[in-house]
Amino acid sequence: MPALVDQERIFINKFVYRIEPIQRGDIVVFRYPRDPQKSFIKRVIGVAGDHVRIADGRVFVNGKLLVEDYVPMAYEDERSYPELVVPSDSYFVLGDHRSLSNDSRDFGPVDASYIYGKAVFGYWPVDKVGRLR
């Protein structure tokens, strides 16, 4: 919306992935792989079997440039990441604030067992009420 900040409140659907698969573009909530006591929220960029590569900040999935209109220009960065094939039962996730995000570029793909919900709606503060995109 286009960004979440500390202390905002969101609704997390913890049941949706029991009836439908995780998809590219979903905003997921998961246990941080390096410290499962912490939760992270990131956008799914790649699913199992996808080839993900980042060249000078531009993300390519299966050889095609990903159009990322949800990343504000001020949050872009120039980092590169070598091509990786997302392992089975895993997801490659990136934060929309690319220049500050701790994400799969740092800790690798996230195992499906760590994902526990989909972020769908912000409800606090009141001026930011609405669907997350």
Side-chain angles (χ1 to χ4, degrees):
M1 265 183 24
L4 297 172
V5 296
D6 197 28
Q7 301 304 311
E8 281 188 47
R9 302 291 183 250
I10 59 171
F11 174 75
I12 301 167
N13 186 333
K14 293 184 177 183
F15 303 102
V16 67
Y17 294 134
R18 294 181 186 181
I19 57 173
E20 66 183 47
I22 297 170
Q23 299 177 21
R24 274 185 224 95
D26 284 359
I27 301 170
V28 295
V29 183
F30 59 96
R31 290 187 301 283
Y32 177 46
R34 293 184 176 155
D35 182 357
Q37 299 298 327
K38 296 179 181 178
S39 290
F40 270 32
I41 181 169
K42 304 291 175 190
R43 187 179 303 274
V44 174
I45 299 299
V47 300
D50 280 349
H51 293 248
V52 177
R53 176 175 63 92
I54 304 172
D56 299 320
R58 298 179 329 206
V59 179
F60 295 84
V61 177
N62 299 322
K64 296 181 182 173
L65 179 63
L66 190 61
V67 176
E68 298 185 288
D69 57 357
Y70 44 79
V71 178
M73 191 176 294
Y75 295 169
E76 294 176 356
D77 74 0
E78 299 296 319
R79 284 192 282 178
S80 294
Y81 188 86
E83 184 168 300
L84 166 119
V85 178
V86 181
S88 62
D89 294 321
S90 297
Y91 299 89
F92 191 90
V93 298
L94 293 175
D96 291 352
H97 196 314
R98 297 289 162 79
S99 58
L100 292 178
S101 185
N102 181 11
D103 49 38
S104 286
R105 296 172 293 180
D106 304 305
F107 51 75
V110 176
D111 189 271
S113 66
Y114 278 61
I115 297 173
Y116 64 86
K118 179 178 182 178
V120 293
F121 191 84
Y123 65 89
W124 187 261
V126 175
D127 64 328
K128 293 189 94 177
V129 168
R131 185 177 69 83
L132 300 178
R133 59 173 192 87

